[in-house]
Each structure stands twice: as structure tokens, then as C-alpha cells.
Amino acid sequence: MIISNTHNFIFFHVPKNAGTSICAKLAPFSENSEIIPTYKNKIKEIVENANTDEGRKMVNEIAHLIPDELFDTNVFYKKNKNKLRWMNLPHLCLAIHGVLSFEEVKKIRNSLDSRWNVLKNYHRFAIVRNSWDYAFSIFKNKVVIDRVAEEWKEGKSWNYMIKNRITKENFLHFIRNLETDYSQIYNDFFFNLEFKKELNQLDYITSPKGYCYVNQLIRYEKIKEGLEIASDKIGVNLVDSPKLNVSMHSIREKDPFDYVNYYDDDAQKKISEIFKKDINHFNFKFGK
């Protein structure tokens, strides 16, 4: 999550919900920009050069200037500063997607709770999306786009490579073989293997006892309206966010990849079982 003490907001960053583009707009106001040496003056340049060698070089230089206390709740990055990405820098405890509702994962939640008397007065918002669309978005981004990014070379058509891989056959293979062929993605977005628990979107915005930290929940299908409200509340224009990730395309253009067309009955049922908590809580319906 990104906390700002100058604009009094907390953005709870739920995966695959246009967060990359929103984080680019919120990064300059993060409390980390006041803590990490030289970061504040380079935020704009880092964002503009995101995912380039130059951008990674700047992040790496800043990573080694981060005060040790910021790593107290994130031992992995303390030992692997070279693996920090630009999006780690503005987030609380340098964790892009902090899980709050797992009793076993307390570091991020404790950091939030210790200051809750002040933070509860901030504007606290998050974005969630229909569970079946959520799963399809993970496929598009983590299976298709990430791999095309690895294979793409000058002269190749990026759009053709993407479109050629987003097929019903490929998506169904992904869903059917999540636990085996895509075990890392399964662990990161569907089912945490260490704690034996499903990773519902609710887990990123609630406590183990079910307390919701958010006071504005934006549904992805109404993201433009939701971001307009959030923009007014925090004084930052989020609607005109840069397209650093394809997720934001659906705000401006009709998404040509309608998730409904890629499911069969078995895939639909499997996702409904994994994300049962979200579906019941948010009353998500397949195709709506």
C-alpha cells in the first residue's frame, strides 16, 4: 500500500486492478519520498524510464541508500536490494501487495495498525474486480504479456504476439494446470502454498478478524467514476494516469478480450471455488 502524509491517503494495492498506472501517479506523494535519500528528486525520471535499463539502474542506486529501518519488516529485500523494482519504492515496507488478513503474515499489518489512530482519518481506497475477470487478467499479464516481453525483438509486432497468445485454448490450459505448470503464479495470486490459503482480493484490504481498512471500494467495471471521486478526495488526478500497464486500457477503450468468451464450465467452477470468499462478499456474477 502507498501512504501519503501530505495528501492524507492510503492506496491499498490489490493485484491486477490498474495499480501500476495509479502507483505512478501516487509515488511522488508517498511518505517514502521523504525518507529515502535522493528518491524524491528522481521519482518522475524513474517512472518515465520504468522497465528500462536506465530506470533499473536508478532504482538500484537508490536501493542502496534506503535506511535500514525500512527493511525491518522486509528481510527478503534487505538481503536482495538489487531485486527491488520501481514500484517497491513508494510502498509501505517496500511491499507492493501487502497481505493483511492472514494471521501468519503480520509484518505489513502491524506497521499499519501501529499508526491507525492517525491513518484511520485518511482517505483509504482500493480497486477490486469480478473474480473470473481477475483470473483472466492474471493470465493476460503474467502468462502472455510477461513472456512476450521476454521474447519481443525490434521488428516484431507486439500486438500480434499478444493477440496470438490470448486464445481460449491457452487460457483453459492455464486454469487447468495452475498447480503444476504455473506453480509460481498459482502461489503468488491464487493459493499461498506456505500458509495453505486462497489469495482472495479481500485478503489485501481486511484484517484476520474481517475488519476492512478501506473507506472507498472501487469496482473495476466502474473504475473511472471511482477514480474521479478518489481524485477529489486526495487532490491528485488519477483518471489521466499514464499507461504503464495494459490494465488501464479498459478505462479508455473497450477491451477486445472479454473474459466470458474464454471460459468453459470447468474453468468457471474452479475459479468460483478458489475465490469463493470474494464472490460471496462482493456478490460477483459471471458475465456481469
Side-chain angles (χ1 to χ4, degrees), residues 25 28 35 49 229:
K25 294 286 286 190
I35 300 172
N49 289 278
I229 294 172

Side-chain angles (χ1 to χ4, degrees), residues 43-61:
I43 293 174
K44 183 178 180 180
E45 190 177 0
I46 288 173
V47 171
E48 289 176 347
N49 289 278
N51 305 318
T52 68
D53 289 340
E54 181 62 26
R56 283 186 283 271
K57 180 180 178 182
M58 286 189 285
V59 171
N60 190 53
E61 290 173 351

Side-chain angles (χ1 to χ4, degrees), residues 16-17 22 32 41 43 67 84 97 154 157 208 215 220 230 278:
K16 302 302 140 204
N17 281 291
I22 293 172
N32 287 359
N41 294 330
I43 293 174
L84 280 169
H97 304 300
E154 194 69 37
S157 171
N215 59 12
Y220 191 82
D278 279 346

Side-chain angles (χ1 to χ4, degrees), residues 32 50 58 100 128 130 150 185 196 228 234 245 261 270:
N32 287 359
M58 286 189 285
L100 299 175
V128 296
N130 178 291
E150 294 175 357
I185 294 174
K196 308 299 181 191
E228 287 174 347
I234 70 176
N245 190 307
N261 298 325
K270 184 171 183 176

Side-chain angles (χ1 to χ4, degrees), residues 195-209:
F195 302 119
K196 308 299 181 191
K197 292 185 178 182
E198 293 85 358
L199 281 168
N200 280 258
Q201 294 171 82
L202 271 172
D203 296 321
Y204 300 96
I205 62 175
T206 58
S207 72
K209 294 183 179 180

Side-chain angles (χ1 to χ4, degrees), residues 1-3 11 30-32 35-36 66-78 84-85 87-100 105-115 119:
M1 69 197 71
I2 296 178
I3 298 176
F11 172 57
S30 164
E31 63 180 5
N32 287 359
I35 300 172
I36 302 173
I66 296 176
D68 286 343
E69 56 265 27
L70 283 190
F71 289 105
D72 286 347
T73 57
N74 205 319
V75 177
F76 173 80
Y77 286 120
K78 188 173 186 178
L84 280 169
R85 296 162 50 201
M87 272 209 299
N88 290 105
L89 298 181
H91 283 77
L92 177 67
C93 301
L94 306 175
I96 298 175
H97 304 300
V99 177
L100 299 175
V105 186
K106 298 181 179 180
K107 295 176 181 178
I108 305 296
R109 189 176 68 251
N110 287 347
S111 181
L112 181 68
D113 289 346
S114 66
R115 295 185 287 159
L119 298 179

Side-chain angles (χ1 to χ4, degrees), residues 23-40:
C23 288
K25 294 286 286 190
L26 298 181
F29 311 105
S30 164
E31 63 180 5
N32 287 359
S33 68
E34 304 294 337
I35 300 172
I36 302 173
T38 77
Y39 175 46
K40 187 172 185 177

